[in-house]
Every structure is written in C-alpha cells, then in structure tokens.
C-alpha cells in the first residue's frame, strides 16, 4: 500500500464517522479526520464549540440528503470524538 493512502480502519477524530464510509476512503487528506471534517489542508470547522459544530454537522448531513433524525444521531455521536473530549 503506498504511503499516501490512509488506513480505512477507525473513526474520524472529529465526527466519529467510520473511515470505511468516507467518500474518499484511503485517499482522504488527513489520517485522523474524514474528508468531511478536513479538506484543503485544514479542519472545516476550526472553532472549539461542540454545540456549534453539531449544528453545522446536522446542516451538512441534511444538505447531502440524509434525514434529520439520522443527522441528529450522528451529531450526538460526535460528542464522543477525541477532538471534543479534550474540550
């Protein structure tokens, strides 16, 4: 496996999405973050407010065509991510 490919095991340190569900898979930019949370060399949400991150996450998930219920469940799970446990 070339060094540029990231592992598909584990979860995003920001939103807890399994890397196997990442649309870019092993081609995502960062080893610890999914392609939804980390793009163009930086975190998409650089703030430190978990509540605001969850609101942005719900809006993005619904915009991709997922249900609000599913979006709220995923946002709830994000609170357990390593990035937010430090806050």
């Amino acid at each position: 496996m070339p060094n540029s490919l990231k592992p598909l095991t584990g979860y995003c340190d920001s939103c807890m999405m399994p890397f196997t569900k990442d649309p870019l898979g092993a081609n995502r930019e960062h080893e610890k973050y999914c392609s939804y949370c980390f793009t163009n060399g930086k975190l998409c949400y650089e703030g430190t407010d978990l509540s605001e991150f969850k609101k942005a996450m719900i809006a993005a998930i619904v915009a991709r065509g997922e249900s609000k219920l599913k979006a709220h469940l995923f946002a709830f799970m994000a609170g357990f991510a390593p990035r937010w446990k430090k806050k």
Side-chain angles (χ1 to χ4, degrees):
M1 177 165 83
N3 288 340
S4 62
L5 295 179
K6 311 299 184 283
L8 287 175
T9 57
Y11 300 86
C12 176
D13 273 11
S14 186
C15 73
M16 293 297 292
M17 183 177 77
F19 291 133
T20 56
K21 301 289 185 184
D22 191 314
L24 295 183
N27 293 314
R28 66 188 185 280
E29 286 184 51
H30 200 282
E31 193 168 300
K32 292 184 178 185
Y33 300 113
C34 71
S35 62
Y36 292 123
C37 290
F38 192 93
T39 187
N40 296 324
K42 65 180 186 172
L43 287 166
C44 295
Y45 178 78
E46 294 179 318
T48 58
D49 186 325
L50 175 59
S51 179
E52 289 300 316
F53 174 74
K54 286 181 177 185
K55 288 178 188 174
M57 188 178 166
I58 290 167
I61 292 169
V62 170
R64 287 195 299 267
E66 300 291 346
S67 72
K68 285 185 179 183
L69 179 63
K70 193 174 193 178
H72 281 274
L73 175 64
F74 290 157
F76 171 78
M77 293 303 298
F80 298 98
R83 175 183 178 192
W84 304 109
K85 284 190 163 211
K86 298 173 189 171
K87 305 292 177 210

